[in-house]
Structures are given as structure tokens and as C-alpha cells.
Amino acid sequence: MSATPAAPNTTELDPAIAARLKRDADGLVPAVAQQYDTGEVLMMGWMDDEALHRTLTTGRCTYWSRSRSEYWVKGDTSGHVQLVKSVALDCDGDTVLVRVDQLGAACHTGDRTCFDAGTLPVTGG
């Protein structure tokens, strides 16, 4: 797994928000994107303090790409923009929920959501 860059920290994330985050060893938290008006779960990405700061201040979802080791703003290359409606932390501070207005597909495959590859069988109760 690629760590976030060693470049100077340029984040201006509110210290009160930063203090609530519980990051993994690479300084990342999972960020779930949900369609704000339907509740549809669209995708999951990763954010560090800088990505969260950019998301909160630009109104566009910014993620940290572990595979490319760089920040990416959803829709900059695909045109499938996520306009931020609200952002919330879960009770433990280890997951971010971003409610968005998704314009176009959320998944890199071109599908509306990343969670449409079929339902797994549940055999328990």
C-alpha cells in the first residue's frame, strides 16, 4: 500500500476535525460516497487530512489514490463529478460519509455505483 506523499503538509483542516479522525497506518480514512437524495451507496475511496480539507472547502470530492499515489478530484478526467452536499464522521471517527450529487457514473467501470457486481449469498440468520 502506498503511503501519502512526503511533500510539505499544506492542509488547513480544522484542528478539531483532525483530532477526531482515526487514521490507518498510512494516515488514511475510508470515505463512503452516497447519493444525497436517494441514499444510494456509490463508491468508497480514501482520504487523508488534505483530501478531506479539499473536499470540505471546494465542494468537490477529493480522494487519495493508493494505486497512483496522488490526489484525484472525482470527475476531473471522467466528467462524472461529485458535488458535495454534506460530510459526516462516524461515531468512532474512522470513516467519512460524503453525501453528494453524483453527475454521471460513480464507478471507474462506467456504472452508476461500484456496488452493482452482484449480491453475495447470505446463509445465516
Side-chain angles (χ1 to χ4, degrees), residues 31-95:
V32 176
Q34 178 184 44
Q35 179 64 34
Y36 82 99
D37 54 354
T38 65
E40 179 182 30
V41 177
L42 301 169
M43 60 170 281
M44 192 285 276
W46 295 95
M47 290 185 180
D48 63 2
D49 288 20
E50 179 65 21
L52 181 54
H53 167 70
R54 292 180 189 187
T55 297
L56 292 168
T57 59
T58 66
R60 299 263 316 274
C61 281
T62 301
Y63 299 97
W64 173 254
S65 171
R66 296 181 305 164
S67 62
R68 296 187 309 258
S69 296
E70 65 185 16
Y71 294 105
W72 59 281
V73 178
K74 183 68 176 167
D76 271 1
T77 56
S78 67
H80 300 162
V81 175
Q82 290 178 341
L83 302 174
V84 177
K85 296 295 186 176
S86 67
V87 179
L89 293 177
D90 75 343
C91 59
D92 295 321
D94 61 4
T95 305

